[in-house]
Amino acid sequence: MHFLSQDLEDYIEQHSENEPELLAQLNKETYQKILLPRMLSGHFQGRVLSMLSKLIRPVNILEIGTYTGYSGLCLCEGMQENGQLHTIDIKEELIDFQRKYFDKSPWGNQIVQHLGEAVAIIPDLDLKFDLVFIDADKENYINYFNLIVPKINKGGIILSDNVLWSGKVVSPLEKNDLSTKILLEYNLLLKNDPRVETVLLPIRDGLTVSRML
């Protein structure tokens, strides 16, 4: 998923905001104890998520794919005082790990964890969201988009992660590669759907910013 040289990536991090101490601890413990730590957003992308959230100033945030909670905490940095983050994940074994860091943050009481399949949970959320971050199973990206569009306020933002999929989106499609196939369809959907305007940023593994019209 790295398209720039390591030297350039290091330079970018060094000239962006520092990683907050709590997130540095979370980053380190994720790499020490949790499978697939590369799924973590990390310093630079985390600062991008934080900056976008601070620009948007959301009241309600929806995150699809919690993992260890790093990206959710970044999104909370721009959340309004009366706001909430609703975050969904299917991995029960990560719930306590997430909650430990959520409760160490200033937003512990504002973070609601949901355990289970997002396609089943989203329809039952009786809220309107200003910011949505999609970072879960790629095969359901289109389903997630269709479920959340009616729940986003006008002018709200959808952030979609991993949309370049390690460069596979510009490589010949393998016959059984469903994830890449769906991502190709999803990227076209975001480009052509008249309900949103979209820009795809080449940040880490690709981050799409879509604004509800």
Side-chain angles (χ1 to χ4, degrees):
M1 68 171 65
H2 297 280
F3 304 111
L4 300 176
S5 70
Q6 188 62 55
D7 286 344
L8 272 176
E9 289 194 355
D10 291 344
Y11 183 87
I12 289 168
E13 283 197 4
Q14 290 161 9
H15 291 80
S16 298
E17 284 295 310
N18 293 333
E19 185 178 40
E21 179 57 33
L22 179 64
L23 291 178
Q25 294 173 16
L26 171 51
N27 195 335
K28 182 177 180 180
E29 189 171 358
T30 297
Y31 272 83
Q32 288 174 336
K33 298 180 179 179
I34 308 298
L35 290 174
L36 302 175
R38 67 194 292 271
M39 291 172 57
L40 188 107
S41 291
H43 176 189
F44 173 60
Q45 185 174 352
R47 292 306 85 207
V48 172
L49 295 177
S50 169
M51 182 66 77
L52 289 171
S53 184
K54 288 169 182 173
L55 292 170
I56 297 162
R57 296 293 292 139
V59 176
N60 291 316
I61 305 171
L62 174 62
E63 179 183 46
I64 305 172
T66 315
Y67 190 49
T68 56
Y70 190 102
S71 55
L73 288 173
C74 293
L75 295 171
C76 283
E77 291 179 30
M79 184 171 62
Q80 295 190 33
E81 288 184 6
N82 62 334
Q84 280 190 328
L85 167 72
H86 289 259
T87 184
I88 305 170
D89 206 282
I90 60 171
K91 296 187 182 300
E92 185 174 2
E93 65 272 20
L94 293 179
I95 289 288
D96 291 341
F97 188 100
Q98 298 160 6
R99 178 48 62 183
K100 178 176 72 171
Y101 280 94
F102 290 159
D103 287 345
K104 286 182 177 181
S105 80
W107 309 285
N109 292 332
Q110 296 168 266
I111 299 175
V112 182
Q113 294 165 283
H114 299 271
L115 177 63
E117 298 283 350
V119 290
I121 291 169
I122 294 169
D124 292 333
L125 296 176
D126 188 21
L127 289 169
K128 284 281 194 175
F129 295 97
D130 305 297
L131 176 58
V132 176
F133 182 44
I134 304 176
D135 186 17
D137 55 313
K138 312 311 160 193
E139 293 88 346
N140 269 312
Y141 266 36
I142 294 173
N143 293 330
Y144 296 148
F145 177 80
N146 290 326
L147 286 170
I148 63 180
V149 162
K151 295 180 177 290
I152 300 183
N153 289 316
K154 183 177 180 180
I157 299 295
I158 303 170
L159 304 175
S160 308
D161 200 17
N162 304 116
V163 290
L164 294 180
W165 208 222
S166 299
K168 292 180 182 179
V169 291
V170 292
S171 299
L173 181 63
E174 306 249 341
K175 181 179 179 181
N176 297 319
D177 188 354
L178 181 59
S179 293
T180 303
K181 178 177 182 293
I182 294 296
L183 280 173
L184 288 167
E185 294 173 4
Y186 181 70
N187 290 339
L188 279 176
L189 171 63
L190 294 184
K191 166 67 175 173
N192 296 322
D193 194 307
R195 296 172 295 180
V196 296
E197 58 179 347
T198 290
V199 61
L200 198 165
L201 304 176
I203 293 171
R204 201 159 175 253
D205 197 25
L207 181 71
T208 299
V209 182
S210 302
R211 176 177 172 270
M212 292 299 301
L213 300 175

